[in-house]
Amino acid sequence: MISVSQLVSQVKSGNYLGLARALTLVENDLEGSADLLKEIRTSDTPVIGITGPPGAGKSTLVNAMINHLSSEGKSVAVLAIDPTSPFNLGSLLGDRVRMAEQFNKPNVYIRSLATRGSLGGLSGKTIEMTDVLKSAGFDYILIETVGVGQSEVEIAGLADISVVVLVPESGDEIQSMKSGLMEIADIFVVNKSDRDGADAFANNLKKLVHQRTEIIPVINTIADKSAGIDELMQAIEDQPIKDNTRRVFLLAEKAWKLIQHEKMKNINRMKLQEEIRTASVDPEFNLYRFVDRILSSTKNS
Amino acid sequence: MISVSQLVSQVKSGNYLGLARALTLVENDLEGSADLLKEIRTSDTPVIGITGPPGAGKSTLVNAMINHLSSEGKSVAVLAIDPTSPFNLGSLLGDRVRMAEQFNKPNVYIRSLATRGSLGGLSGKTIEMTDVLKSAGFDYILIETVGVGQSEVEIAGLADISVVVLVPESGDEIQSMKSGLMEIADIFVVNKSDRDGADAFANNLKKLVHQRTEIIPVINTIADKSAGIDELMQAIEDQPIKDNTRRVFLLAEKAWKLIQHEKMKNINRMKLQEEIRTASVDPEFNLYRFVDRILSSTKNS
């Protein structure tokens, strides 16, 4: 049995087997997980979030970015949280074959992760898994996630740079997205730019983002032809370093979630349902008194 | 100073001043709030959630529903959580004047509520405020909320019947909504049905909902002309009573949130940020050790 310290060293030295083991430990909250997280030293590896609606071609874009980075001799880790991602083997054979080649590149590490909970969003352990990757000395970390519900905001809390991927047909989506994706984007990608209406869409997007104080680049790509990837990587390079205020805010949000998770660990949702099923038969049942009882019984645990 | 028991009696007897006071108490978590919630006895008043994208005409629809219910001698309480709702005075004068008449109807009680947090969604005390309304003996409770992010799922956890309001132009939104609004709708309303494409849109919607096991009614309305409101109210009447499994599930979700809120009450987000700002200057800073320290210091509080 390997010790936590040994595992931490393996991860740090770039041992992929050790990294895979550490990620599994953390993902499933197995024994040693908490100790491992307290021992790792996270680096400044930039974490790039790739998010956007289903069908925008995020995985193809990630694939093209991996190829670009590999050809420059850079190492890259990918965390694919999109349940529809081909990295999650949920796609056509053709995609899978194309993705499979990445697994053999020595400087590319890909980990796919099914979301928990039916509503998309990040898996419960995404923050922790990203921190493990950040201790492994990669040049870049890419996190692919589908933009549904609150996940785009969660990804912004995790990523140093958020790339929002849209397609020329996304026009009508922008309105409803405004409060979510629009706010978190550091870079917009209009993928599948060989389709009709791509220029008009990109121009509209540019006008919209022009209303914000910072300048948000809008990059046209055709990911399956690797077109526009140079420009995208350049835009990523050109991103200003986030100021300390934002870094502190994101760390505080992470801490908040870790604390919440720890404080709720003795509350079992299924058991809660069972207890309510029994108790609520009483016509005098009152939820607030019920909650009080649960709180008293878990106070010192 | 009125006692909590007196306030509970006032609410129960339909005293609007007492109700307003009780809601303010609960909304702001003032002294007595916890006791009040433990003393009230919630009724079986059906809670109808009205949700949908901005601009779908939710407030106008709620207005028409109030008129319909009033004319039948039914009493109704409205909780308007949509920050863009005219009930929240955020709209045109015309709307406000039209809404204002409702405030004087003796059997109509309207409470507007600004959302907290930038992402739409429900206010922190929506569950509790709804429970207060449920103890006040109304025939119906309507909750209007804008469908952004996770709020549509939260509203489904609160409402017995969820009405999702769309417009003929919502076609392209449906795709991205699928995982959210589509799942929670008990009834679809296609409002502004005098616009082009309304029939085609309603038919597409019917085909989509036909893939689900239950039959979801799709009702065409023109709310500002009170057209289709009879059909909508009939569809609400015809909704099957939710089985106990769902009721227990919703109560358990409510309990989960109440427990979470209570357990986190001593953690201050701003203070967390300040502490992290100081601690993270150390290059050896580790978030998990930091969180451990916070957890130890708040363990017995």
Side-chain angles (χ1 to χ4, degrees), chain B residues 238-258:
Chain B
D238 291 345
Q239 279 292 301
I241 307 261
K242 295 289 187 294
D243 63 15
N244 196 41
T245 307
R246 188 177 139 116
R247 181 173 160 266
V248 167
F249 174 78
L250 298 181
L251 281 171
E253 287 303 296
K254 270 197 201 182
W256 177 272
K257 280 184 190 157
L258 293 168

Side-chain angles (χ1 to χ4, degrees), chain B residues 129-169:
Chain B
M129 291 175 79
T130 305
D131 277 343
V132 171
L133 289 172
K134 284 185 91 165
S135 75
F138 289 99
D139 293 316
Y140 287 89
I141 296 170
L142 307 183
I143 303 188
E144 180 198 342
T145 183
V146 68
V148 173
Q150 292 213 286
S151 60
E152 58 267 46
V153 182
E154 292 178 319
I155 195 79
L158 197 62
D160 299 301
I161 299 170
S162 290
V163 178
V164 172
V165 187
L166 300 168
V167 284
E169 294 79 11

Side-chain angles (χ1 to χ4, degrees), chain B residues 63-99:
Chain B
N63 195 47
M65 290 169 78
I66 294 171
N67 286 334
H68 180 103
L69 289 167
S70 296
S71 74
E72 290 192 332
K74 301 269 170 62
S75 64
V76 54
V78 176
L79 202 56
I81 314 173
D82 181 350
T84 65
S85 165
F87 294 117
N88 261 321
L89 308 182
S91 184
L92 299 169
L93 187 64
D95 272 324
R96 259 187 288 170
V97 170
R98 198 178 66 237
M99 294 304 163

Side-chain angles (χ1 to χ4, degrees), chain A residues 174-214:
Chain A
I174 292 187
Q175 197 61 20
S176 60
M177 261 175 207
K178 255 187 177 165
S179 57
L181 292 180
M182 289 296 287
E183 274 172 23
I184 61 129
D186 295 304
I187 295 170
F188 278 107
V189 163
V190 180
N191 193 28
K192 307 186 184 176
S193 278
D194 46 351
R195 288 199 189 165
D196 283 350
D199 287 341
F201 176 71
N203 284 333
N204 281 334
L205 200 53
K206 276 173 196 163
K207 268 180 221 154
L208 264 175
V209 301
H210 203 71
Q211 296 163 3
R212 284 175 46 176
T213 42
E214 328 94 290

Side-chain angles (χ1 to χ4, degrees), chain A:
Chain A
M1 180 72 186
I2 187 171
S3 75
V4 166
S5 301
Q6 283 173 311
L7 202 49
V8 169
S9 301
Q10 283 185 359
V11 171
K12 196 178 168 189
S13 70
N15 177 325
Y16 281 13
L17 197 63
L19 177 58
R21 196 179 283 182
L23 288 170
T24 299
L25 200 77
V26 165
E27 182 178 12
N28 301 294
D29 206 8
L30 303 177
E31 201 184 324
S33 169
D35 290 337
L36 183 127
L37 290 167
K38 281 176 219 161
E39 278 197 37
I40 55 173
R41 184 157 170 188
T42 58
S43 62
D44 290 332
T45 310
V47 177
I48 302 166
I50 315 286
T51 190
K58 293 182 293 298
S59 303
T60 314
L61 191 72
V62 168
N63 194 47
M65 290 168 79
I66 294 170
N67 285 334
H68 181 102
L69 290 167
S70 296
S71 73
E72 290 193 332
K74 300 269 171 62
S75 64
V76 54
V78 177
L79 203 56
I81 314 173
D82 180 351
T84 65
S85 165
F87 295 117
N88 261 320
L89 307 182
S91 180
L92 299 169
L93 188 63
D95 272 325
R96 258 187 288 171
V97 171
R98 198 178 66 236
M99 293 306 163
E101 73 188 52
Q102 303 297 358
F103 286 90
N104 299 320
K105 290 197 179 158
N107 284 324
V108 178
Y109 180 81
I110 296 177
R111 177 90 174 196
S112 68
L113 193 59
T115 45
R116 296 182 188 156
S118 58
L119 291 166
L122 301 185
S123 148
K125 294 291 178 185
T126 310
I127 293 174
E128 290 89 336
M129 291 175 80
T130 306
D131 277 342
V132 171
L133 289 173
K134 284 184 90 166
S135 75
F138 289 99
D139 294 316
Y140 287 90
I141 297 170
L142 307 182
I143 302 188
E144 181 199 341
T145 183
V146 70
V148 174
Q150 293 213 286
S151 60
E152 59 267 44
V153 183
E154 291 177 319
I155 196 79
L158 197 62
D160 299 300
I161 299 170
S162 291
V163 177
V164 172
V165 187
L166 300 169
V167 284
E169 294 79 11
S170 305
D172 300 293
E173 277 170 10
I174 292 187
Q175 197 61 20
S176 60
M177 261 175 207
K178 255 187 177 165
S179 57
L181 292 180
M182 289 296 287
E183 274 172 23
I184 61 129
D186 295 304
I187 295 170
F188 278 107
V189 163
V190 180
N191 193 28
K192 307 186 184 176
S193 278
D194 46 351
R195 288 199 189 165
D196 283 350
D199 287 341
F201 176 71
N203 284 333
N204 281 334
L205 200 53
K206 276 173 196 163
K207 268 180 221 154
L208 264 175
V209 301
H210 203 71
Q211 296 163 3
R212 284 175 46 176
T213 42
E214 328 94 290
I215 291 161
I216 317 288
V218 177
I219 314 284
N220 287 46
T221 64
I222 311 167
D224 57 6
K225 293 176 183 156
S226 295
I229 305 302
D230 288 1
E231 290 81 355
L232 171 58
M233 294 312 299
Q234 191 57 50
I236 288 172
E237 290 294 328
D238 292 345
Q239 278 292 301
I241 307 261
K242 295 289 188 296
D243 65 15
N244 195 42
T245 308
R246 188 177 140 116
R247 180 172 160 266
V248 166
F249 173 78
L250 297 181
L251 281 171
E253 286 304 296
K254 270 196 200 181
W256 176 271
K257 278 184 191 157
L258 293 168
I259 293 166
Q260 198 174 47
H261 184 258
E262 189 61 27
K263 286 194 177 276
M264 293 298 280
K265 74 175 179 195
N266 290 317
I267 310 292
N268 181 309
R269 265 191 151 100
M270 284 299 125
K271 202 170 149 231
L272 209 57
Q273 273 191 39
E274 280 320 305
E275 289 179 14
I276 286 179
R277 192 186 312 281
T278 310
S280 64
V281 174
D282 181 352
E284 296 289 333
F285 174 76
N286 174 298
L287 191 66
Y288 302 90
R289 288 196 299 262
F290 173 84
V291 163
D292 246 22
R293 219 162 50 231
I294 301 279
L295 284 167
S296 316
S297 72
T298 60
K299 194 151 196 171
N300 295 311
S301 59

Side-chain angles (χ1 to χ4, degrees), chain B residues 186 209-210 212-217 239:
Chain B
D186 295 305
V209 301
H210 204 71
R212 284 176 46 176
T213 41
E214 328 92 288
I215 291 163
I216 317 289
Q239 279 292 301

